[in-house]
Amino acid sequence: MAKTVIVVIDGFGIGAMPDAGTLRPGDLTADTCGHVLDHCRTALGRPLRLPVLGALGLGLVHPHQDLARRTHLPVAAGRAALGYPGADTFAGHQTMMGADFSRVTVARLADHLAEVAAALEAAGHRVEPLDGKPLLVVDGTVLVHDNLEADPGINWNASGRLEDLSFDGPGGILAVARTVRAVAPVARVIAVGGHADGPLRQFVRPGDAGTVGLDTPATGFYRNGGLEVQHLGAELDHTRQLPGLAARAGIPVTLVGKAADILACEAARRHPAVKTADVLSHTLEAVRAPGDALVVANVQETDLSGHQQDTERYGRLLEQVDSGLAGLVALLDSPGDRLIVTGDHGNDPTIGHAYHTREYVPVLIHRPGTDGVELLPDADSLADVGATAAASLSLDPAGLANGTTLRPGRHAA
């Protein structure tokens, strides 16, 4: 019996990649982990309490005065480059699970307005631009627009107020998003329904690189309750991703948090959740079940606090995650069990903007039944995390579309 658990701390970067400044030169100073630690030491009057992340080797790959430099746990620790364009949760998770993301393009909605409008009209919708801006109003209620929370041109959104129409009913927000998805060249089209503080058009603003969209955090969608979201990804061969590979081998698959929204696997048990306490609870519950298991969990609130540029909240969430990881380390104690803690991109709340930051992410692997602490070479792609997880479940990583198993480079001093 063996269990492999991947915990993705959304938006948890450990320093800028060399190309981080291509779009925004200031992003070359991005360091989500380090800047959160520094800020919270001052704001809270004490260091963040992250004993488990320290014991898993975070301080080995991101040295900092507030992180342990030694550990008694049998861990392998390294860092991974993202392996996909930009810095995006959907692309990060798909890449991590072994997808080949090379055919997805970056595009502004403005460059495809006519094509998108024609598809929506052919589906029976009424379509018009909003005040001459490069975004569309569908049936007088749904906005189709550039996503302003990711780098320009990575994602498009279809957003609507649930007071005006249903999320998944006929002609609802999701139906509009599916029509857009059929012609969109971007990584994902996101259907978003929620309760806003006013008409959506008053929250429209320009973004970077000629994009225009809804300022979703400003609408109140995230804080007013009742949020409904579905991520419609680019066409990928999901059979050659880790969840599908595990399921075909008879290994139960559980997807928790945002992972349940964005990863494809018909056989998976799904526990969507946003609150960190709920994500950790569902993850622990899945690990306690007898038998083999693959569990992929996403802690989303760290990413949301990065978008809100709330550094202190980010730090407190890291402490909450650390407490949950303590329970997982205690449960995953059999030889062959693996706990992999990583990220999907950065989201430095101190950088001066609300976008993701293109950073390396940690790869921290708890390996019961092995000896010592080993350092991993830098991974070229998050796909290497998925390949390593496949190997830990005795699956052939060649069954994935992308990724190479990480092998320790040397023992830690």
Side-chain angles (χ1 to χ4, degrees), residues 26-90:
D27 282 9
L28 281 171
T29 65
D31 179 0
T32 302
C33 178
H35 291 157
V36 170
L37 288 169
D38 291 342
H39 175 92
C40 288
R41 172 180 271 270
T42 300
L44 302 178
R46 60 168 177 82
L48 286 180
R49 300 185 180 102
L50 305 176
V52 182
L53 283 167
L56 290 171
L58 181 59
L60 300 177
V61 298
H62 186 287
H64 191 279
Q65 63 177 334
D66 295 339
L67 295 172
R69 294 297 302 274
R70 295 182 180 275
T71 177
H72 65 280
L73 292 180
V75 300
R79 64 178 189 170
L82 301 185
Y84 64 86
D88 176 64
T89 296
F90 178 83

Side-chain angles (χ1 to χ4, degrees), residues 109-122 136 156 179-180 182-185:
L109 179 61
D111 298 327
H112 296 268
L113 274 179
E115 182 182 4
V116 173
L120 288 164
E121 289 169 350
L136 301 173
W156 299 347
T179 300
V180 176
V183 296

